[in-house]
C-alpha cells in the first residue's frame, strides 16, 4: 500500500461517530479494528523508513566522527510530514478499504 498518496488529514479532525460505527454497528469494535490497522500501517512505515535509512548507514568504530547527510535528513523529514498512522487508518475505514471479519459469527 502506498501511504504517500493518502488523502488523510495531517492535523486533528473531528469525525462523525455514526459514520465510524456504521460498518460494525458498534463504536468500540470499530475503534478496535481501526487501532489494529493503525498498528499495521505504523510497522509498515517504520520498516520502509529503516530500509531507506540503512542505505545511508556508515559503520565506523569511531564515535567521534558524525556525518550529516542531507539526503538522509530529507528522507526523515518526508516521513515526519506524512499523516499519522491512525489518521490513515481512519481514512481507510471510512472509505471501506479495511477488511474485517468476526470469527464468532461465521
Amino acid at each position: 500500500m502506498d501511504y504517500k498518496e493518502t488523502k488523510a488529514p495531517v492535523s486533528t479532525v473531528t469525525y462523525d461517530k455514526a459514520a465510524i460505527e456504521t460498518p460494525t454497528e458498534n463504536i468500540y469494535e470499530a475503534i478496535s479494528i481501526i487501532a489494529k490497522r493503525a498498528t499495521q500501517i505504523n510497522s509498515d512505515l517504520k520498516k520502509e523508513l529503516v530500509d531507506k535509512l540503512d542505505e545511508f548507514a556508515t559503520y565506523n568504530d569511531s564515535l567521534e566522527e558524525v556525518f550529516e547527510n542531507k539526503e538522509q535528513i530529507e528522507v526523515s523529514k518526508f516521513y515526519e510530514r506524512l499523516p499519522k498512522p491512525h489518521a490513515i487508518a481512519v481514512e481507510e475505514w471510512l472509505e471501506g478499504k479495511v477488511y474485517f471479519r468476526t470469527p464468532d459469527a461465521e
Side-chain angles (χ1 to χ4, degrees), residues 21-51:
E21 70 181 351
T22 300
T24 60
E25 298 179 4
N26 184 336
I27 188 69
Y28 302 106
E29 185 177 354
I31 290 173
S32 175
I33 294 167
I34 292 169
K36 288 177 185 177
R37 179 64 184 136
T39 302
Q40 290 174 341
I41 292 169
N42 188 45
S43 65
D44 290 348
L45 286 174
K46 184 176 179 180
K47 181 182 180 312
E48 189 176 310
L49 175 62
V50 167
D51 289 346

PDB file of all heavy atoms in Angstrom, residues 21-51:
ATOM      1  N   GLU A  21     -19.051   4.070  13.180  1.00  0.00           N
ATOM      2  CA  GLU A  21     -19.610   2.821  13.697  1.00  0.00           C
ATOM      3  C   GLU A  21     -20.534   2.104  12.724  1.00  0.00           C
ATOM      4  O   GLU A  21     -20.923   0.965  12.983  1.00  0.00           O
ATOM      5  CB  GLU A  21     -20.346   3.071  15.015  1.00  0.00           C
ATOM      6  CG  GLU A  21     -21.636   3.839  14.885  1.00  0.00           C
ATOM      7  CD  GLU A  21     -22.321   4.079  16.223  1.00  0.00           C
ATOM      8  OE1 GLU A  21     -21.898   3.511  17.239  1.00  0.00           O
ATOM      9  OE2 GLU A  21     -23.284   4.845  16.234  1.00  0.00           O
ATOM     10  N   THR A  22     -20.882   2.708  11.601  1.00  0.00           N
ATOM     11  CA  THR A  22     -21.830   2.106  10.669  1.00  0.00           C
ATOM     12  C   THR A  22     -21.453   0.693  10.209  1.00  0.00           C
ATOM     13  O   THR A  22     -22.304  -0.195  10.250  1.00  0.00           O
ATOM     14  CB  THR A  22     -22.049   3.024   9.453  1.00  0.00           C
ATOM     15  OG1 THR A  22     -22.573   4.267   9.922  1.00  0.00           O
ATOM     16  CG2 THR A  22     -22.995   2.423   8.449  1.00  0.00           C
ATOM     17  N   PRO A  23     -20.221   0.411   9.780  1.00  0.00           N
ATOM     18  CA  PRO A  23     -19.926  -0.950   9.286  1.00  0.00           C
ATOM     19  C   PRO A  23     -20.086  -2.046  10.335  1.00  0.00           C
ATOM     20  O   PRO A  23     -20.452  -3.171  10.000  1.00  0.00           O
ATOM     21  CB  PRO A  23     -18.474  -0.855   8.820  1.00  0.00           C
ATOM     22  CG  PRO A  23     -18.246   0.590   8.572  1.00  0.00           C
ATOM     23  CD  PRO A  23     -19.104   1.324   9.559  1.00  0.00           C
ATOM     24  N   THR A  24     -19.820  -1.744  11.602  1.00  0.00           N
ATOM     25  CA  THR A  24     -19.877  -2.781  12.632  1.00  0.00           C
ATOM     26  C   THR A  24     -21.080  -2.637  13.559  1.00  0.00           C
ATOM     27  O   THR A  24     -21.388  -3.555  14.311  1.00  0.00           O
ATOM     28  CB  THR A  24     -18.620  -2.740  13.519  1.00  0.00           C
ATOM     29  OG1 THR A  24     -18.550  -1.465  14.150  1.00  0.00           O
ATOM     30  CG2 THR A  24     -17.376  -2.995  12.720  1.00  0.00           C
ATOM     31  N   GLU A  25     -21.714  -1.480  13.531  1.00  0.00           N
ATOM     32  CA  GLU A  25     -22.820  -1.137  14.425  1.00  0.00           C
ATOM     33  C   GLU A  25     -22.382  -1.137  15.889  1.00  0.00           C
ATOM     34  O   GLU A  25     -23.205  -1.270  16.794  1.00  0.00           O
ATOM     35  CB  GLU A  25     -24.007  -2.078  14.208  1.00  0.00           C
ATOM     36  CG  GLU A  25     -24.577  -1.973  12.807  1.00  0.00           C
ATOM     37  CD  GLU A  25     -25.729  -2.921  12.571  1.00  0.00           C
ATOM     38  OE1 GLU A  25     -26.151  -3.621  13.508  1.00  0.00           O
ATOM     39  OE2 GLU A  25     -26.212  -2.961  11.432  1.00  0.00           O
ATOM     40  N   ASN A  26     -21.095  -1.002  16.120  1.00  0.00           N
ATOM     41  CA  ASN A  26     -20.544  -0.938  17.478  1.00  0.00           C
ATOM     42  C   ASN A  26     -19.303  -0.057  17.433  1.00  0.00           C
ATOM     43  O   ASN A  26     -18.310  -0.408  16.792  1.00  0.00           O
ATOM     44  CB  ASN A  26     -20.196  -2.341  17.959  1.00  0.00           C
ATOM     45  CG  ASN A  26     -19.710  -2.362  19.392  1.00  0.00           C
ATOM     46  OD1 ASN A  26     -19.217  -1.370  19.920  1.00  0.00           O
ATOM     47  ND2 ASN A  26     -19.836  -3.521  20.023  1.00  0.00           N
ATOM     48  N   ILE A  27     -19.353   1.088  18.115  1.00  0.00           N
ATOM     49  CA  ILE A  27     -18.249   2.049  18.054  1.00  0.00           C
ATOM     50  C   ILE A  27     -16.960   1.461  18.627  1.00  0.00           C
ATOM     51  O   ILE A  27     -15.874   1.708  18.114  1.00  0.00           O
ATOM     52  CB  ILE A  27     -18.620   3.380  18.760  1.00  0.00           C
ATOM     53  CG1 ILE A  27     -17.554   4.455  18.520  1.00  0.00           C
ATOM     54  CG2 ILE A  27     -18.840   3.179  20.246  1.00  0.00           C
ATOM     55  CD1 ILE A  27     -17.480   4.955  17.125  1.00  0.00           C
ATOM     56  N   TYR A  28     -17.062   0.660  19.672  1.00  0.00           N
ATOM     57  CA  TYR A  28     -15.869   0.084  20.301  1.00  0.00           C
ATOM     58  C   TYR A  28     -15.183  -0.932  19.392  1.00  0.00           C
ATOM     59  O   TYR A  28     -13.960  -0.979  19.308  1.00  0.00           O
ATOM     60  CB  TYR A  28     -16.221  -0.536  21.655  1.00  0.00           C
ATOM     61  CG  TYR A  28     -16.840   0.468  22.581  1.00  0.00           C
ATOM     62  CD1 TYR A  28     -18.198   0.453  22.862  1.00  0.00           C
ATOM     63  CD2 TYR A  28     -16.067   1.475  23.152  1.00  0.00           C
ATOM     64  CE1 TYR A  28     -18.771   1.395  23.692  1.00  0.00           C
ATOM     65  CE2 TYR A  28     -16.629   2.432  23.988  1.00  0.00           C
ATOM     66  CZ  TYR A  28     -17.986   2.378  24.259  1.00  0.00           C
ATOM     67  OH  TYR A  28     -18.550   3.313  25.068  1.00  0.00           O
ATOM     68  N   GLU A  29     -15.976  -1.730  18.711  1.00  0.00           N
ATOM     69  CA  GLU A  29     -15.414  -2.696  17.771  1.00  0.00           C
ATOM     70  C   GLU A  29     -14.761  -1.970  16.601  1.00  0.00           C
ATOM     71  O   GLU A  29     -13.677  -2.342  16.151  1.00  0.00           O
ATOM     72  CB  GLU A  29     -16.518  -3.635  17.274  1.00  0.00           C
ATOM     73  CG  GLU A  29     -16.009  -4.747  16.393  1.00  0.00           C
ATOM     74  CD  GLU A  29     -17.108  -5.706  15.973  1.00  0.00           C
ATOM     75  OE1 GLU A  29     -18.254  -5.579  16.446  1.00  0.00           O
ATOM     76  OE2 GLU A  29     -16.806  -6.591  15.159  1.00  0.00           O
ATOM     77  N   ALA A  30     -15.400  -0.917  16.116  1.00  0.00           N
ATOM     78  CA  ALA A  30     -14.843  -0.136  15.011  1.00  0.00           C
ATOM     79  C   ALA A  30     -13.516   0.494  15.402  1.00  0.00           C
ATOM     80  O   ALA A  30     -12.534   0.441  14.648  1.00  0.00           O
ATOM     81  CB  ALA A  30     -15.833   0.940  14.572  1.00  0.00           C
ATOM     82  N   ILE A  31     -13.448   1.064  16.588  1.00  0.00           N
ATOM     83  CA  ILE A  31     -12.211   1.687  17.051  1.00  0.00           C
ATOM     84  C   ILE A  31     -11.121   0.637  17.237  1.00  0.00           C
ATOM     85  O   ILE A  31      -9.953   0.880  16.925  1.00  0.00           O
ATOM     86  CB  ILE A  31     -12.455   2.492  18.341  1.00  0.00           C
ATOM     87  CG1 ILE A  31     -13.293   3.727  18.000  1.00  0.00           C
ATOM     88  CG2 ILE A  31     -11.143   2.887  19.003  1.00  0.00           C
ATOM     89  CD1 ILE A  31     -13.739   4.527  19.187  1.00  0.00           C
ATOM     90  N   SER A  32     -11.487  -0.528  17.711  1.00  0.00           N
ATOM     91  CA  SER A  32     -10.513  -1.610  17.875  1.00  0.00           C
ATOM     92  C   SER A  32      -9.929  -2.028  16.523  1.00  0.00           C
ATOM     93  O   SER A  32      -8.718  -2.226  16.400  1.00  0.00           O
ATOM     94  CB  SER A  32     -11.176  -2.800  18.560  1.00  0.00           C
ATOM     95  OG  SER A  32     -10.299  -3.877  18.631  1.00  0.00           O
ATOM     96  N   ILE A  33     -10.770  -2.146  15.525  1.00  0.00           N
ATOM     97  CA  ILE A  33     -10.315  -2.522  14.180  1.00  0.00           C
ATOM     98  C   ILE A  33      -9.420  -1.426  13.610  1.00  0.00           C
ATOM     99  O   ILE A  33      -8.365  -1.706  13.033  1.00  0.00           O
ATOM    100  CB  ILE A  33     -11.521  -2.798  13.261  1.00  0.00           C
ATOM    101  CG1 ILE A  33     -12.277  -4.032  13.736  1.00  0.00           C
ATOM    102  CG2 ILE A  33     -11.077  -2.954  11.817  1.00  0.00           C
ATOM    103  CD1 ILE A  33     -13.637  -4.223  13.100  1.00  0.00           C
ATOM    104  N   ILE A  34      -9.824  -0.173  13.785  1.00  0.00           N
ATOM    105  CA  ILE A  34      -9.025   0.950  13.289  1.00  0.00           C
ATOM    106  C   ILE A  34      -7.667   0.978  13.996  1.00  0.00           C
ATOM    107  O   ILE A  34      -6.637   1.218  13.356  1.00  0.00           O
ATOM    108  CB  ILE A  34      -9.787   2.278  13.470  1.00  0.00           C
ATOM    109  CG1 ILE A  34     -11.001   2.318  12.552  1.00  0.00           C
ATOM    110  CG2 ILE A  34      -8.877   3.474  13.212  1.00  0.00           C
ATOM    111  CD1 ILE A  34     -11.964   3.463  12.839  1.00  0.00           C
ATOM    112  N   ALA A  35      -7.647   0.712  15.285  1.00  0.00           N
ATOM    113  CA  ALA A  35      -6.392   0.712  16.043  1.00  0.00           C
ATOM    114  C   ALA A  35      -5.454  -0.391  15.546  1.00  0.00           C
ATOM    115  O   ALA A  35      -4.243  -0.171  15.418  1.00  0.00           O
ATOM    116  CB  ALA A  35      -6.673   0.541  17.524  1.00  0.00           C
ATOM    117  N   LYS A  36      -6.001  -1.561  15.257  1.00  0.00           N
ATOM    118  CA  LYS A  36      -5.174  -2.657  14.745  1.00  0.00           C
ATOM    119  C   LYS A  36      -4.612  -2.304  13.373  1.00  0.00           C
ATOM    120  O   LYS A  36      -3.453  -2.592  13.074  1.00  0.00           O
ATOM    121  CB  LYS A  36      -5.985  -3.949  14.678  1.00  0.00           C
ATOM    122  CG  LYS A  36      -6.266  -4.526  16.044  1.00  0.00           C
ATOM    123  CD  LYS A  36      -7.135  -5.756  15.974  1.00  0.00           C
ATOM    124  CE  LYS A  36      -7.491  -6.218  17.382  1.00  0.00           C
ATOM    125  NZ  LYS A  36      -8.384  -7.367  17.362  1.00  0.00           N
ATOM    126  N   ARG A  37      -5.435  -1.663  12.551  1.00  0.00           N
ATOM    127  CA  ARG A  37      -4.957  -1.241  11.223  1.00  0.00           C
ATOM    128  C   ARG A  37      -3.878  -0.164  11.356  1.00  0.00           C
ATOM    129  O   ARG A  37      -2.895  -0.176  10.617  1.00  0.00           O
ATOM    130  CB  ARG A  37      -6.131  -0.730  10.382  1.00  0.00           C
ATOM    131  CG  ARG A  37      -5.738  -0.265   9.014  1.00  0.00           C
ATOM    132  CD  ARG A  37      -5.183  -1.393   8.155  1.00  0.00           C
ATOM    133  NE  ARG A  37      -4.737  -0.871   6.888  1.00  0.00           N
ATOM    134  CZ  ARG A  37      -3.588  -1.209   6.302  1.00  0.00           C
ATOM    135  NH1 ARG A  37      -2.800  -2.101   6.843  1.00  0.00           N
ATOM    136  NH2 ARG A  37      -3.247  -0.656   5.155  1.00  0.00           N
ATOM    137  N   ALA A  38      -4.042   0.755  12.298  1.00  0.00           N
ATOM    138  CA  ALA A  38      -3.043   1.803  12.524  1.00  0.00           C
ATOM    139  C   ALA A  38      -1.710   1.185  12.943  1.00  0.00           C
ATOM    140  O   ALA A  38      -0.645   1.648  12.521  1.00  0.00           O
ATOM    141  CB  ALA A  38      -3.534   2.787  13.566  1.00  0.00           C
ATOM    142  N   THR A  39      -1.766   0.128  13.748  1.00  0.00           N
ATOM    143  CA  THR A  39      -0.548  -0.568  14.162  1.00  0.00           C
ATOM    144  C   THR A  39       0.148  -1.201  12.962  1.00  0.00           C
ATOM    145  O   THR A  39       1.373  -1.136  12.827  1.00  0.00           O
ATOM    146  CB  THR A  39      -0.873  -1.641  15.224  1.00  0.00           C
ATOM    147  OG1 THR A  39      -1.513  -1.009  16.334  1.00  0.00           O
ATOM    148  CG2 THR A  39       0.372  -2.364  15.689  1.00  0.00           C
ATOM    149  N   GLN A  40      -0.640  -1.798  12.057  1.00  0.00           N
ATOM    150  CA  GLN A  40      -0.074  -2.375  10.837  1.00  0.00           C
ATOM    151  C   GLN A  40       0.589  -1.302   9.978  1.00  0.00           C
ATOM    152  O   GLN A  40       1.700  -1.486   9.469  1.00  0.00           O
ATOM    153  CB  GLN A  40      -1.161  -3.067  10.010  1.00  0.00           C
ATOM    154  CG  GLN A  40      -1.709  -4.323  10.605  1.00  0.00           C
ATOM    155  CD  GLN A  40      -2.889  -4.872   9.806  1.00  0.00           C
ATOM    156  OE1 GLN A  40      -3.517  -4.148   9.020  1.00  0.00           O
ATOM    157  NE2 GLN A  40      -3.192  -6.142  10.010  1.00  0.00           N
ATOM    158  N   ILE A  41      -0.096  -0.180   9.804  1.00  0.00           N
ATOM    159  CA  ILE A  41       0.433   0.912   8.992  1.00  0.00           C
ATOM    160  C   ILE A  41       1.719   1.445   9.606  1.00  0.00           C
ATOM    161  O   ILE A  41       2.705   1.693   8.905  1.00  0.00           O
ATOM    162  CB  ILE A  41      -0.616   2.038   8.834  1.00  0.00           C
ATOM    163  CG1 ILE A  41      -1.791   1.539   7.983  1.00  0.00           C
ATOM    164  CG2 ILE A  41       0.006   3.295   8.224  1.00  0.00           C
ATOM    165  CD1 ILE A  41      -2.986   2.467   7.989  1.00  0.00           C
ATOM    166  N   ASN A  42       1.724   1.607  10.929  1.00  0.00           N
ATOM    167  CA  ASN A  42       2.906   2.115  11.614  1.00  0.00           C
ATOM    168  C   ASN A  42       4.100   1.196  11.400  1.00  0.00           C
ATOM    169  O   ASN A  42       5.203   1.663  11.122  1.00  0.00           O
ATOM    170  CB  ASN A  42       2.618   2.294  13.101  1.00  0.00           C
ATOM    171  CG  ASN A  42       3.737   2.999  13.818  1.00  0.00           C
ATOM    172  OD1 ASN A  42       4.265   3.989  13.338  1.00  0.00           O
ATOM    173  ND2 ASN A  42       4.099   2.485  14.983  1.00  0.00           N
ATOM    174  N   SER A  43       3.893  -0.107  11.517  1.00  0.00           N
ATOM    175  CA  SER A  43       5.013  -1.033  11.330  1.00  0.00           C
ATOM    176  C   SER A  43       5.490  -1.030   9.877  1.00  0.00           C
ATOM    177  O   SER A  43       6.692  -1.117   9.626  1.00  0.00           O
ATOM    178  CB  SER A  43       4.642  -2.441  11.790  1.00  0.00           C
ATOM    179  OG  SER A  43       3.636  -2.981  10.997  1.00  0.00           O
ATOM    180  N   ASP A  44       4.572  -0.905   8.914  1.00  0.00           N
ATOM    181  CA  ASP A  44       4.965  -0.816   7.504  1.00  0.00           C
ATOM    182  C   ASP A  44       5.804   0.433   7.243  1.00  0.00           C
ATOM    183  O   ASP A  44       6.844   0.369   6.578  1.00  0.00           O
ATOM    184  CB  ASP A  44       3.737  -0.788   6.592  1.00  0.00           C
ATOM    185  CG  ASP A  44       3.002  -2.116   6.532  1.00  0.00           C
ATOM    186  OD1 ASP A  44       3.554  -3.132   7.017  1.00  0.00           O
ATOM    187  OD2 ASP A  44       1.866  -2.134   6.010  1.00  0.00           O
ATOM    188  N   LEU A  45       5.347   1.569   7.761  1.00  0.00           N
ATOM    189  CA  LEU A  45       6.076   2.824   7.562  1.00  0.00           C
ATOM    190  C   LEU A  45       7.440   2.781   8.243  1.00  0.00           C
ATOM    191  O   LEU A  45       8.434   3.253   7.685  1.00  0.00           O
ATOM    192  CB  LEU A  45       5.259   4.008   8.087  1.00  0.00           C
ATOM    193  CG  LEU A  45       4.071   4.436   7.244  1.00  0.00           C
ATOM    194  CD1 LEU A  45       3.270   5.520   7.963  1.00  0.00           C
ATOM    195  CD2 LEU A  45       4.518   4.934   5.884  1.00  0.00           C
ATOM    196  N   LYS A  46       7.488   2.204   9.432  1.00  0.00           N
ATOM    197  CA  LYS A  46       8.751   2.124  10.164  1.00  0.00           C
ATOM    198  C   LYS A  46       9.748   1.246   9.414  1.00  0.00           C
ATOM    199  O   LYS A  46      10.914   1.599   9.277  1.00  0.00           O
ATOM    200  CB  LYS A  46       8.522   1.578  11.571  1.00  0.00           C
ATOM    201  CG  LYS A  46       9.767   1.554  12.408  1.00  0.00           C
ATOM    202  CD  LYS A  46       9.482   1.111  13.815  1.00  0.00           C
ATOM    203  CE  LYS A  46      10.764   1.084  14.633  1.00  0.00           C
ATOM    204  NZ  LYS A  46      10.530   0.663  15.997  1.00  0.00           N
ATOM    205  N   LYS A  47       9.277   0.104   8.910  1.00  0.00           N
ATOM    206  CA  LYS A  47      10.154  -0.796   8.156  1.00  0.00           C
ATOM    207  C   LYS A  47      10.662  -0.101   6.901  1.00  0.00           C
ATOM    208  O   LYS A  47      11.845  -0.175   6.572  1.00  0.00           O
ATOM    209  CB  LYS A  47       9.406  -2.074   7.792  1.00  0.00           C
ATOM    210  CG  LYS A  47      10.260  -3.075   7.040  1.00  0.00           C
ATOM    211  CD  LYS A  47       9.462  -4.298   6.658  1.00  0.00           C
ATOM    212  CE  LYS A  47      10.256  -5.333   5.907  1.00  0.00           C
ATOM    213  NZ  LYS A  47      11.048  -4.843   4.813  1.00  0.00           N
ATOM    214  N   GLU A  48       9.782   0.597   6.205  1.00  0.00           N
ATOM    215  CA  GLU A  48      10.153   1.308   4.986  1.00  0.00           C
ATOM    216  C   GLU A  48      11.199   2.395   5.288  1.00  0.00           C
ATOM    217  O   GLU A  48      12.185   2.535   4.567  1.00  0.00           O
ATOM    218  CB  GLU A  48       8.899   1.934   4.370  1.00  0.00           C
ATOM    219  CG  GLU A  48       9.089   2.524   3.005  1.00  0.00           C
ATOM    220  CD  GLU A  48       7.769   3.036   2.444  1.00  0.00           C
ATOM    221  OE1 GLU A  48       6.774   2.283   2.471  1.00  0.00           O
ATOM    222  OE2 GLU A  48       7.749   4.183   1.989  1.00  0.00           O
ATOM    223  N   LEU A  49      10.993   3.140   6.367  1.00  0.00           N
ATOM    224  CA  LEU A  49      11.931   4.192   6.748  1.00  0.00           C
ATOM    225  C   LEU A  49      13.286   3.611   7.139  1.00  0.00           C
ATOM    226  O   LEU A  49      14.332   4.102   6.701  1.00  0.00           O
ATOM    227  CB  LEU A  49      11.368   5.021   7.899  1.00  0.00           C
ATOM    228  CG  LEU A  49      12.295   6.086   8.481  1.00  0.00           C
ATOM    229  CD1 LEU A  49      12.655   7.116   7.420  1.00  0.00           C
ATOM    230  CD2 LEU A  49      11.659   6.758   9.673  1.00  0.00           C
ATOM    231  N   VAL A  50      13.287   2.555   7.924  1.00  0.00           N
ATOM    232  CA  VAL A  50      14.546   1.937   8.346  1.00  0.00           C
ATOM    233  C   VAL A  50      15.304   1.399   7.138  1.00  0.00           C
ATOM    234  O   VAL A  50      16.528   1.546   7.040  1.00  0.00           O
ATOM    235  CB  VAL A  50      14.280   0.822   9.390  1.00  0.00           C
ATOM    236  CG1 VAL A  50      15.511  -0.034   9.616  1.00  0.00           C
ATOM    237  CG2 VAL A  50      13.814   1.434  10.691  1.00  0.00           C
ATOM    238  N   ASP A  51      14.593   0.790   6.187  1.00  0.00           N
ATOM    239  CA  ASP A  51      15.242   0.289   4.976  1.00  0.00           C
ATOM    240  C   ASP A  51      15.900   1.420   4.194  1.00  0.00           C
ATOM    241  O   ASP A  51      17.018   1.284   3.697  1.00  0.00           O
ATOM    242  CB  ASP A  51      14.238  -0.447   4.083  1.00  0.00           C
ATOM    243  CG  ASP A  51      13.806  -1.776   4.665  1.00  0.00           C
ATOM    244  OD1 ASP A  51      14.465  -2.265   5.613  1.00  0.00           O
ATOM    245  OD2 ASP A  51      12.793  -2.328   4.176  1.00  0.00           O
TER     246      ASP A  51
END
